[in-house]
Amino acid sequence: MLDTASGDLNLDKIKDLIVVLKKNGEDTLSVDIDNPERRPLLILLRDKENKLKFARRNDNTVYCIQCGGMLGDPFMGITIKNGYFSVEHYGGSNWRWKSIITYKYSKKDKEWFLYKDGLESFQISDTENVKTEIKTAKDFGRVKFQDFDIYKD
C-alpha cells in the first residue's frame, strides 16, 4: 500500500476507505515515462456490520513514481470529506506544479464523478506569479471516477 484515507464517501454517515496501491520495486519498474507503472486507487465502502466491500477502481488517478520529474514521487495524499475526495500531487523542477483532482459522490446515481481538476504552476525563481487553472464539469462533461485518466489531456 502507498496510502489510505478514511471518511464518508457515499454520504451514509459510515466511514469508508480509499486505498492507493503500488508495486514493490516500482521505482525500478517505472523507468519509461510513456509507459508508467500504474498505481490503482480503490474505493471500499463499509456496511452497517463494519465490513468493507470493494466498490470502484481506477488505475489512472494517481501519478506514477517517476511522474514528478526532478522532485521524484509526486503523490502527496488523499483527503475525504462528506462525499468528496481529492488526490493531490506536486512535482517539477525549475517549473513547479501542484495538481488536485476532486471527485464528488452522487446519491442519485450511486456514483462518483470528477468534480474538479485543478492545476497550479510557477517558476521556482518567481513564486509570487502562480498560474492557476481549474477545470469543472463545464469543461470536461460528466466523467465517472473509474473512467478518468490523469495521463490524457
Side-chain angles (χ1 to χ4, degrees):
M1 274 190 279
L2 177 64
D3 199 8
T4 62
S6 178
D8 186 3
L9 290 166
N10 60 347
L11 303 173
D12 64 356
K13 299 189 181 354
I14 300 172
K15 284 196 173 186
D16 305 301
L17 189 67
I18 286 181
V19 177
V20 178
L21 301 175
K22 67 175 187 167
K23 283 190 179 174
N24 289 333
E26 70 178 1
D27 54 332
T28 57
L29 295 171
S30 188
V31 293
D32 180 8
I33 199 74
D34 293 326
N35 190 22
E37 196 62 43
R38 308 293 181 180
R39 291 171 152 179
L41 188 152
L42 310 176
I43 296 175
L44 304 171
L45 299 179
R46 196 175 304 275
D47 64 20
K48 290 177 183 169
E49 287 81 43
N50 206 29
K51 293 181 182 174
L52 289 170
K53 292 187 179 181
F54 171 80
R56 301 285 184 280
R57 174 181 175 146
N58 182 305
D59 291 358
N60 300 304
T61 287
V62 178
Y63 274 127
C64 73
I65 192 169
Q66 306 292 355
C67 293
M70 297 284 293
L71 292 179
D73 188 352
F75 179 74
M76 298 301 292
I78 304 163
T79 305
I80 300 173
K81 188 173 181 182
N82 301 326
Y84 293 84
F85 70 93
S86 298
V87 179
E88 187 173 330
H89 298 95
Y90 179 77
S93 180
N94 266 345
W95 190 257
R96 302 285 170 97
W97 55 268
K98 179 179 179 180
S99 165
I100 300 176
I101 300 158
T102 303
Y103 297 93
K104 179 182 178 184
Y105 184 71
S106 165
K107 273 188 156 182
K108 177 184 159 207
D109 299 305
K110 295 184 170 71
E111 222 27 276
W112 292 267
F113 292 95
L114 184 61
Y115 181 69
K116 285 185 183 177
D117 185 0
L119 180 66
E120 290 182 352
S121 57
F122 61 93
Q123 283 283 354
I124 194 67
S125 60
D126 185 14
T127 58
E128 299 295 315
N129 190 12
V130 177
K131 180 183 173 191
T132 302
E133 180 183 4
I134 298 174
K135 295 179 184 174
T136 65
K138 291 179 183 177
D139 302 299
F140 48 71
R142 200 163 170 174
V143 179
K144 289 182 181 179
F145 159 73
Q146 59 269 25
D147 296 333
F148 178 71
D149 190 343
I150 200 168
Y151 297 104
K152 293 188 177 176
D153 290 334

